[in-house]
Amino acid sequence: MVTPANPPRRAHPAARGLGDSHLNGRGFTLIELLVVLSIIALLLTLAVPRYFHSIDTSKETVLGENLRIVRETIDKFYGDNGRYPDSLDELVSQRYLRALPYDPVTGSTTTWIVVAPETPDAKGNVYDIKSGAPGNTRDGKPFADL
């Protein structure tokens, strides 16, 4: 018989199951935390090198694409005007480019190396551009040779 003076007895925590007794404010043990942290560390050691490798790959891809577009734009300028541009800014001012290209390796728009025409009778100063980034690509080719 249940009366207010005689409340029903609760089962022992071990009889209710391990999950219930674990969540009653006891928290996690140090071993459990260390296991979880070691699993996270293991996953990070696998993921982080791939992440940085993919960033380097994407920078090289963007650099190659920017060089291709600017070289194509220089050729269009030459076809339209019969001369090469005097500077990269001229390509922007005459609206061949919206803005100076971005070199993702150096993180700047001002590190380009401008190559003048090799023939003395060619008009203009910008025949080609190269990256001013130091170092090499993943293939071992210097950035300036892209």
Side-chain angles (χ1 to χ4, degrees):
M1 174 168 174
V2 176
T3 62
N6 189 11
R9 297 184 79 191
R10 293 188 172 198
H12 189 271
R16 286 188 277 158
L18 294 176
D20 293 341
S21 67
H22 183 65
L23 298 176
N24 284 339
R26 220 181 61 165
F28 295 105
T29 65
L30 180 61
I31 298 295
E32 291 170 333
L33 290 174
L34 288 175
V35 167
V36 170
L37 289 175
S38 64
I39 291 171
I40 290 172
L42 176 68
L43 292 174
L44 285 175
T45 59
L46 297 173
V48 170
R50 289 183 184 195
Y51 172 73
F52 286 119
H53 180 269
S54 66
I55 286 181
D56 292 340
T57 302
S58 63
K59 283 182 180 183
E60 290 176 19
T61 304
V62 170
L63 175 61
E65 186 66 14
N66 284 352
L67 286 169
R68 186 191 64 77
I69 289 171
V70 171
R71 288 170 178 160
E72 184 178 300
T73 304
I74 291 169
D75 292 341
K76 288 179 182 178
F77 184 93
Y78 183 81
D80 291 346
N81 299 307
R83 66 176 182 87
Y84 292 107
D86 293 324
S87 67
L88 291 175
D89 292 325
E90 186 176 3
L91 292 173
V92 175
S93 67
Q94 294 205 8
R95 304 183 68 101
Y96 282 88
L97 293 173
R98 289 187 180 185
L100 288 176
Y102 177 75
D103 187 341
V105 179
T106 62
S108 175
T109 60
T110 60
T111 56
W112 298 108
I113 298 172
V114 176
V115 178
E118 293 178 2
T119 58
D121 57 339
K123 296 177 183 174
N125 295 325
V126 181
Y127 173 74
D128 192 9
I129 66 167
K130 296 184 178 198
S131 174
N136 298 327
T137 64
R138 290 176 299 112
D139 301 336
K141 216 163 48 165
F143 286 116
D145 291 346
L146 291 180

